[in-house]
Amino acid sequence: GMSSEVTFPVPWGHLAAKAWGPPQGRPVLCLHGWLDNANTFDRLIPLLPADCRYVAMDFSGHGLSSHRPAGSFYHFLDYVSEVRRVAAALQWRRFTLMGHSMGGSVAGMFCVLYPEMVDKLILLENLGFLLAPEETEEWLKSKRMVIDRLLSLEAKQQPPKAHSPEAALQRLLEANRHLTAEGGAILLQRGATVTPAGLVYNRDMRVRTQSRESLTVEQCVELLQKIQDRVLIIVAQDGLLIPHKLDSRNLFVKRLREAFESVLKEHIQLVEVPGSHFVHLNEPEVVSGIISNFLTAQDARARL
């Protein structure tokens, strides 16, 4: 289960990653969720097939990767382009993508933009895409908020606060009820830096100004149809995607799942497992068998 650190130079600095498994092993690129980092896969990857080469990257503004240049937003497509950069640096022509939460949306978008580069797609607590708000007014409001948030962050320009290790973990757990203390501590190892004053979070606050791509439910289904038969979706029963537990804000998840189940029925493997949004980190053995079977399957369902 030993991993090594890897960095990839980019025009604004570097992207950091960690790698497991033999360098010539079958390539699997792992993408973390919003405000998380590559350590989210620390407990899962040692349980997966040992002959694969796993690389878990930190998106810019997360973990040990450089922040984006001053004055810039974090556009969703920037994350997608970072996947393309890392694949080029690794000289991976074709690989498997595994993404958790926001990382799953990045993986889904990469997959439909570069279908020839992806052999299998594994989505953990994600349905592959981010949807636009249905109402025009909501959509406008969300775009305006992105700009206003960036400008207000720039106006404040506060130095990052330092916290005691206990307080840093407490804040992380309060912001994320799906994390266990153990899972939170694993994310903090890469998500914060020790300074004389205490722990300082590494993440760029501008990550909160993320500008999303706008897709309708119909577009999502159409895009997933292009890559069907090689997609595994794992949804946690106490996670963020269970339709009957969602509030009205998340109606699109319900509509998306209904559309999947009617249009893509047997073409996409959608598995519900016990656990929360971070099931892969909290209780990796719940999902490791399902993922391992999908990775090693040679049947037509998993092939192109």
Side-chain angles (χ1 to χ4, degrees):
M2 290 296 291
S3 64
S4 56
E5 287 293 323
V6 200
T7 53
F8 307 99
V10 289
W12 62 94
H14 69 272
L15 293 172
K18 51 199 302 190
W20 292 256
Q24 300 312 314
R26 189 179 146 198
V28 181
L29 188 61
C30 309
L31 309 178
H32 65 77
W34 187 62
L35 293 176
D36 300 331
N37 57 64
N39 277 14
T40 195
F41 298 105
D42 270 18
R43 298 185 64 204
L44 173 62
I45 286 172
L47 304 180
L48 299 182
D51 56 350
C52 293
R53 175 68 167 177
Y54 302 93
V55 173
M57 59 185 275
D58 292 328
F59 290 122
S60 58
H62 295 74
L64 303 178
S65 288
S66 299
H67 293 187
R68 288 250 160 202
S72 56
F73 293 106
Y74 281 78
H75 287 286
F76 180 71
L77 265 186
D78 291 336
Y79 296 137
V80 181
S81 69
E82 287 168 16
V83 173
R84 186 69 190 82
R85 289 176 188 273
V86 168
L90 290 165
Q91 298 184 320
W92 285 1
R93 309 249 307 269
R94 196 165 163 79
F95 52 94
T96 295
L97 268 174
M98 175 163 64
H100 171 246
S101 200
M102 178 191 88
S105 302
V106 174
M109 182 62 83
F110 183 88
C111 206
V112 295
L113 291 177
Y114 296 97
E116 74 286 357
M117 293 187 72
V118 181
D119 59 7
K120 295 180 184 182
L121 176 63
I122 301 164
L123 303 174
L124 305 169
E125 271 286 287
N126 183 277
L127 298 177
F129 299 96
L130 296 168
L131 294 193
E134 307 254 308
E135 293 77 34
T136 307
E137 283 309 311
E138 275 296 299
W139 182 82
L140 291 172
K141 204 165 90 185
S142 72
K143 294 298 177 197
R144 176 171 169 153
M145 198 168 74
V146 166
I147 295 172
D148 290 349
R149 268 188 178 172
L150 180 67
L151 297 183
S152 94
L153 274 176
E154 289 175 352
K156 289 191 195 118
Q157 276 298 324
Q158 291 162 330
K161 291 191 179 77
H163 305 277
S164 70
E166 299 74 26
L169 180 59
Q170 196 51 42
R171 279 176 62 104
L172 186 61
L173 297 178
E174 277 166 17
N176 208 317
R177 62 185 177 80
H178 292 266
L179 270 177
T180 60
E182 188 186 2
I186 288 172
L187 287 178
L188 262 190
Q189 285 164 11
R190 198 173 182 88
T193 299
V194 181
T195 71
L199 281 185
V200 172
Y201 293 123
N202 293 339
R203 61 179 180 229
D204 187 343
M205 286 306 290
R206 291 175 300 162
V207 165
R208 296 178 179 278
T209 66
Q210 187 201 40
S211 180
R212 297 179 164 195
E213 296 306 301
S214 305
L215 294 168
T216 62
V217 169
E218 293 69 34
Q219 285 172 316
C220 290
V221 171
E222 193 185 328
L223 290 172
L224 268 178
Q225 276 177 306
K226 292 181 188 297
I227 54 171
Q228 61 187 16
D229 288 328
R230 50 179 169 139
V231 182
L232 168 66
I233 300 177
I234 296 180
V235 174
Q237 282 163 2
D238 296 312
L240 302 183
L241 299 176
I242 298 296
H244 62 267
K245 295 187 179 165
L246 297 171
D247 59 21
S248 58
R249 266 195 336 230
N250 286 318
L251 269 179
F252 74 81
V253 171
K254 192 174 170 165
R255 291 195 43 218
L256 199 48
R257 274 198 67 170
E258 283 165 1
F260 282 7
E261 278 152 16
S262 60
V263 183
L264 300 165
K265 294 187 282 291
E266 61 279 359
H267 293 292
I268 284 189
Q269 295 180 53
L270 194 147
V271 187
E272 278 192 19
V273 297
S276 72
H277 188 57
F278 278 90
V279 63
H280 67 290
L281 175 60
N282 296 336
E283 301 147 300
E285 56 288 340
V286 171
V287 297
S288 57
I290 301 164
I291 296 171
S292 297
N293 289 343
F294 182 73
L295 280 174
T296 52
Q298 293 302 321
D299 64 342
R301 277 180 67 87
R303 268 211 318 274
L304 251 184

